[in-house]
């Protein structure tokens, strides 16, 4: 099938990035959220990020104008019913995603492919709660979407070949690379990345090093562009904890036990950059380690 219209559910950091790259690739995009403020902020951010690309001469001013013209924000979930592909990019909570699919499905066309940007939740289980498990799959972008080149494509047990091939064509048109992952907890990237971040938090928790020394060690000793604690703040500590819980519950292995310090930071509401405090304090001119 030919995909020309893409719907995006959720206007947060993932949703606005997906809308950005889809519109730039020539797709008509409908983006929805429950908050008008979130939609306004998303459109402002997309415009700013496109302008940055114009400044860097990676796209033209005409490309930017055309992309912005292809994005239609809406508060009405039913408006996504005319789309050929819908990508859900809401909060990483299964109950939230299930509620969205339940409200959306009555408005979809029979051929519409339904996907989720989940970073860890079972695709098969999410698909089973819809009317189209064969046309349902995981479409996992990396953050920040306009910069990161990888997209994980995850088939559930019922996903058919035509659905996978159609999503693969979308990834290629976006100018990104697809990695095919099996439907196991956290897939490929987060199955490897999150335990490393969790171990960095344990290293902090046990007093082996402080925030600065841990991040500096991994940047200079392992050539990582960003230290694991800095990266955790960027991702969101609530998201890191949610993924570790999915790994721990889904694989029943104690090596995936979330660090108590990670849980404590989340309980305090110190979720990283988005709340201006996490393993670093971002309220001043430069980030300051909190431990």
């Amino acid at each position: 099938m030919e995909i020309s219209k893409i719907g995006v559910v959720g206007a947060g950091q993932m949703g606005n990035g997906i809308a950005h790259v889809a519109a730039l690739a020539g797709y008509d995009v409908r983006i929805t959220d429950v908050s008008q403020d979130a939609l306004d902020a998303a459109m402002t951010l997309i415009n700013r990020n496109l302008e940055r690309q114009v400044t860097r001469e990676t796209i033209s001013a005409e490309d930017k104008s055309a992309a912005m013209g292809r994005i239609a924000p809406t508060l009405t979930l039913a408006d996504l019913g005319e789309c050929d592909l819908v990508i859900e990019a809401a909060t990483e909570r299964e109950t939230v995603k299930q509620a969205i699919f339940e409200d959306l499905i009555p408005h979809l066309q029979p051929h519409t492919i339904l996907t989720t940007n989940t970073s860890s939740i079972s695709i098969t289980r999410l698909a089973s709660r819809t009317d189209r498990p064969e046309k349902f799959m995981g479409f996992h972008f990396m953050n920040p979407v306009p910069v990161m080149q990888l997209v994980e494509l995850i088939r559930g047990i019922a996903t058919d070949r035509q659905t996978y091939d159609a999503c693969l064509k979308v990834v290629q048109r976006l100018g990104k690379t697809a990695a095919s992952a099996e439907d196991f907890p956290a897939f490929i990237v987060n199955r490897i990345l999150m335990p490393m971040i969790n171990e960095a938090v344990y290293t902090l928790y046990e007093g082996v090093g402080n925030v600065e020394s841990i991040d500096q060690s991994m940047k200079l000793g392992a050539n990582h562009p960003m230290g694991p604690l800095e990266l955790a703040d960027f991702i969101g500590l609530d998201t890191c904890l949610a993924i570790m819980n999915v790994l721990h519950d889904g694989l029943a292995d104690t090596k995936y036990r979330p660090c108590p310090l990670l849980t404590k930071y989340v309980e305090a509401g110190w979720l990283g950059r988005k709340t201006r405090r996490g393993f670093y304090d971002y309220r001043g001119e430069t980030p300051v380690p909190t431990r």
Side-chain angles (χ1 to χ4, degrees):
M1 64 169 291
E2 194 63 36
I3 292 172
S4 61
K5 293 182 180 179
I6 294 178
V8 180
V9 182
Q13 62 180 357
M14 297 305 296
N16 73 64
I18 294 167
H20 172 148
V21 298
L24 198 55
Y27 292 105
D28 291 326
V29 178
R30 284 282 177 93
I31 183 169
T32 186
D33 201 284
V34 294
S35 161
Q36 184 63 53
D37 287 345
L39 286 172
D40 292 344
M43 294 301 290
T44 299
L45 184 59
I46 292 168
N47 185 70
R48 187 163 67 240
N49 288 338
L50 285 167
E51 185 58 38
R52 186 178 294 119
Q53 288 179 282
V54 172
T55 302
R56 293 175 179 169
E57 299 184 344
T58 56
I59 65 171
S60 67
E62 291 75 17
D63 292 334
K64 175 198 167 185
S65 178
M68 289 299 297
R70 293 187 192 105
I71 304 173
T74 177
L75 288 169
T76 307
L77 190 62
D79 287 346
L80 272 60
E82 64 189 48
C83 296
D84 306 305
L85 167 68
V86 174
I87 304 171
E88 172 273 317
T91 305
E92 188 69 355
R93 291 212 309 272
E94 191 164 347
T95 53
V96 172
K97 295 178 185 298
Q98 287 173 348
I100 288 168
F101 297 143
E102 188 176 324
D103 290 345
L104 178 62
I105 282 168
H107 306 287
L108 297 180
Q109 302 174 83
H111 74 268
T112 301
I113 293 172
L114 188 55
T115 69
T116 174
N117 185 58
T118 181
S119 52
S120 62
I121 299 169
S122 167
I123 302 304
T124 297
R125 192 166 63 242
L126 287 172
S128 72
R129 301 291 295 271
T130 75
D131 67 340
R132 60 194 68 211
E134 73 288 347
K135 293 186 180 300
F136 188 101
M137 66 181 295
F139 208 125
H140 180 216
F141 289 84
M142 305 297 123
N143 185 35
V145 178
V147 175
M148 302 297 280
Q149 292 301 302
L150 187 76
V151 178
E152 284 182 312
L153 293 180
I154 309 103
R155 279 175 281 198
I157 197 169
T159 308
D160 62 28
R161 183 73 201 189
Q162 292 88 344
T163 297
Y164 175 83
D165 288 344
C167 289
L168 179 60
K169 285 183 181 177
V170 172
V171 174
Q172 292 168 341
R173 181 166 160 182
L174 296 179
K176 297 190 182 294
T177 299
S180 230
E182 292 300 318
D183 185 22
F184 289 101
F187 319 130
I188 295 173
V189 173
N190 284 318
R191 172 75 177 264
I192 297 167
L193 175 63
M194 285 303 158
M196 184 198 75
I197 288 175
N198 194 52
E199 194 61 31
V201 183
Y202 265 115
T203 305
L204 179 65
Y205 177 61
E206 294 169 1
V208 180
N210 59 27
V211 169
E212 188 175 21
S213 64
I214 291 167
D215 277 352
Q216 190 176 58
S217 293
M218 294 308 293
K219 285 193 284 188
L220 302 182
N223 205 29
H224 289 192
M226 190 182 291
L229 301 175
E230 182 185 3
L231 179 57
D233 276 357
F234 181 77
I235 294 168
L237 303 193
D238 53 339
T239 300
C240 294
L241 180 59
I243 295 170
M244 286 308 303
N245 280 325
V246 167
L247 282 166
H248 191 231
D249 295 344
L251 299 172
D253 192 324
T254 55
K255 73 179 181 180
Y256 298 115
R257 183 172 68 98
C259 179
L261 184 60
L262 177 60
T263 302
K264 190 175 292 292
Y265 268 73
V266 173
E267 288 174 345
W270 292 18
L271 308 181
R273 286 181 176 268
K274 60 187 173 186
T275 59
R276 303 188 69 195
R277 275 196 292 188
F279 293 114
Y280 292 86
D281 189 326
Y282 300 93
R283 293 174 297 173
E285 289 186 12
T286 57
V288 178
T290 54
R291 290 178 86 86

